[in-house]
Amino acid sequence: MYWYEDEVKRIEKEGRKLNFVPETVFYGSSSIRLWPSVYKDFPDYKPVNLGFGGSTLAACVWFFERVMTPYQPKRIIIYAGDNDLGDGRHPEEVFIFFQEMAVKIKARFGNIPCYFISLKPSISRWHMANVFRFTNGLIENEIKTYGDNWHFVDVFNKMLDAAGKPKSEFFAYDGLHLSEKGYALWRAVLLNFIAAKG
């Protein structure tokens, strides 16, 4: 996990500079880290961006206590697991990391509202689409057993065209990260969930 050390130190440093008390933690990989408008997209929910580039769900679990130390949010939004599969981990491994994350969140924050954004249908990883679908299914079914505070936010299907393929307009030039339209979609979906669930 030493590979992420500089990124985690950056998060810690930026956290010390905040001039407000965050209410919503965004945590996860580069799809969170690179969200340029997250602060203006969720102004009513006082977000803080704790994403770190290239991170896996395994790394998010590993650094959880360290990264979350200064915070006591009202809700947490997570996107991670994409890179785990890209690195060759199996869906079952990602599922176990998710379970570990859920345990850590409950131990640290209690039963606050938690939103897990489904793994996205990236163009560059479309050859693994069935693996991503299976992983999403494992996590979604697990969340159904957690009670009312956990929510599975499906963006996978919303990012597909009529033929069932990823819509290029939602992705950056690399076919992996999100475009401005991709983030606009995520924003709309999340705002609907938060407004309905808390």
Side-chain angles (χ1 to χ4, degrees):
M1 293 294 172
Y2 70 90
W3 191 85
Y4 303 104
E5 190 64 28
D6 287 345
E7 275 282 270
V8 172
K9 286 180 178 176
R10 173 191 58 77
I11 292 172
E12 292 174 322
K13 183 178 180 180
E14 291 179 357
R16 290 191 291 269
K17 294 179 180 178
L18 291 177
N19 58 3
F20 66 97
V21 178
E23 294 182 358
T24 304
V25 162
F26 281 76
Y27 189 48
S29 63
S30 54
S31 292
I32 296 294
R33 166 76 180 99
L34 298 174
W35 196 326
S37 56
V38 70
Y39 290 95
K40 71 176 183 179
D41 283 347
F42 300 88
D44 295 337
Y45 299 102
K46 297 182 180 177
V48 61
N49 190 330
L50 303 183
F52 52 110
S55 70
T56 57
L57 190 50
C60 289
V61 171
W62 182 268
F63 289 107
F64 183 83
E65 287 87 357
R66 181 174 163 189
V67 169
M68 297 294 170
T69 295
Y71 305 103
Q72 195 63 48
K74 294 182 179 180
R75 67 191 62 82
I76 184 166
I77 296 167
I78 303 163
Y79 182 84
D82 199 326
N83 291 325
D84 301 71
L85 295 176
D87 288 347
R89 288 192 173 101
H90 298 291
E92 292 81 1
E93 293 177 274
V94 178
F95 175 64
I96 290 170
F97 296 140
F98 171 76
Q99 289 179 312
E100 292 176 347
M101 174 69 74
V103 169
K104 285 180 178 287
I105 290 174
K106 185 168 185 177
R108 176 73 173 81
F109 299 127
N111 291 320
I112 65 169
C114 299
Y115 302 84
F116 184 87
I117 302 172
S118 71
L119 305 184
K120 65 186 187 296
S122 301
I123 295 169
S124 65
R125 290 176 174 163
W126 188 240
H127 61 288
M128 301 172 63
N130 288 336
V131 176
F132 276 65
R133 285 192 179 99
F134 183 68
T135 307
N136 279 334
L138 289 175
I139 294 172
E140 181 177 15
N141 288 332
E142 178 75 0
I143 284 174
K144 289 177 182 177
T145 71
Y146 282 177
D148 294 339
N149 66 305
W150 270 94
H151 312 286
F152 182 83
V153 182
D154 178 21
V155 297
F156 188 99
N157 292 304
K158 290 179 172 62
M159 299 181 78
L160 303 179
D161 62 20
K165 298 292 180 64
K167 294 184 74 170
S168 59
E169 67 188 70
F170 292 139
F171 295 92
Y173 67 91
D174 61 2
L176 177 62
H177 296 99
L178 295 179
S179 67
E180 185 176 338
K181 288 184 177 180
Y183 281 117
L185 173 69
W186 281 28
R187 172 185 177 272
V189 173
L190 278 169
L191 283 174
N192 283 338
F193 263 87
I194 297 172
K197 307 296 183 180

